[in-house]
Amino acid sequence: MNFKDSKGIYLQIADRICDEILLGNYKEDARIPSVREYAAVVEVNANTVMRSFEHLQSQGVIYNKRGIGYFVSTGAIEMIRNYRKEVFMKENINVLDELNKGACTGMDAIHFIIDKIEDPEFKASLEFQYNKYKDIS
C-alpha cells in the first residue's frame, strides 16, 4: 500500500483485491477474507476495507452472502480486465496523439513498453509477438 499516493486508500485496497483475483488468489464464487481479516493484512482500519468492499460490490466484482461473507462474482475477471483496459486506453490517449504527431516511431513505443514489462513470461511473449510481426512486415 502506498499511503502517500493521491489515490484514496480504499481504492488502492480495491485495486489490490482485483489484482489478487486476476492472479488467481481468489477464484470466482469463492469466499474472500472478511473485512477484519483483510484490514489486518493491509494494516488499515476495518472501516476503510469495508468501503473498499462496498465499492467492489457496487462494481459487481464481489457480492455479499449475509452472515457468511463476501465472494468473488462470476465474471469478475472479465469485468476487471475490461475496466482496466478502458482506463488504460483513456489514460494513454495522449501517447497515441504524440505517436501520430511523429514524436517517436511505433517501434520506439513498442521497445519502450517491452522494456517496462516486469513479468518475464509476459515480456518473452511480447518479444516473440513483436519479432513475429517484424518478420512479416
Side-chain angles (χ1 to χ4, degrees), residues 2-89:
N2 183 2
F3 297 123
K4 294 180 183 174
D5 195 326
S6 62
K7 191 175 203 177
I9 295 170
Y10 83 99
L11 291 173
Q12 292 178 53
I13 294 168
D15 284 346
R16 178 181 166 148
I17 292 169
C18 288
D19 290 344
E20 292 173 323
I21 292 169
L22 290 175
L23 291 170
N25 296 345
Y26 306 132
K27 305 286 186 202
E28 292 184 352
D29 291 315
R31 186 178 173 279
I32 63 173
S34 71
V35 169
R36 288 179 193 227
E37 290 168 340
Y38 209 83
V41 169
V42 295
E43 299 177 333
V44 299
N45 187 290
N47 291 328
T48 304
V49 174
M50 186 66 211
R51 190 170 175 199
S52 301
F53 280 30
E54 288 170 348
H55 173 74
L56 290 172
Q57 187 172 6
S58 74
Q59 302 298 311
V61 174
I62 62 173
Y63 63 94
N64 186 8
K65 286 186 180 179
R66 192 175 185 102
I68 299 174
Y70 285 90
F71 293 77
V72 178
S73 299
T74 300
I77 292 171
E78 186 175 348
M79 276 187 270
I80 295 166
R81 284 189 178 140
N82 288 338
Y83 173 75
R84 288 188 173 179
K85 179 180 177 181
E86 183 180 318
V87 169
F88 176 82
M89 296 299 197

Side-chain angles (χ1 to χ4, degrees), residues 88 95 106-118 122-123 126:
F88 176 82
V95 172
M107 292 302 179
D108 291 337
I110 291 169
H111 285 286
F112 174 79
I113 291 168
I114 290 173
D115 287 344
K116 296 298 177 188
I117 301 295
E118 294 177 3
F122 185 51
K123 187 173 192 164
L126 283 178

Side-chain angles (χ1 to χ4, degrees), residues 95-114 130 133-134:
V95 172
L96 296 174
D97 288 343
E98 290 301 314
L99 283 172
N100 286 329
K101 292 176 189 173
C104 67
T105 68
M107 292 302 179
D108 291 337
I110 291 169
H111 285 286
F112 174 79
I113 291 168
I114 290 173
Y130 164 75
Y133 174 77
K134 186 175 73 171

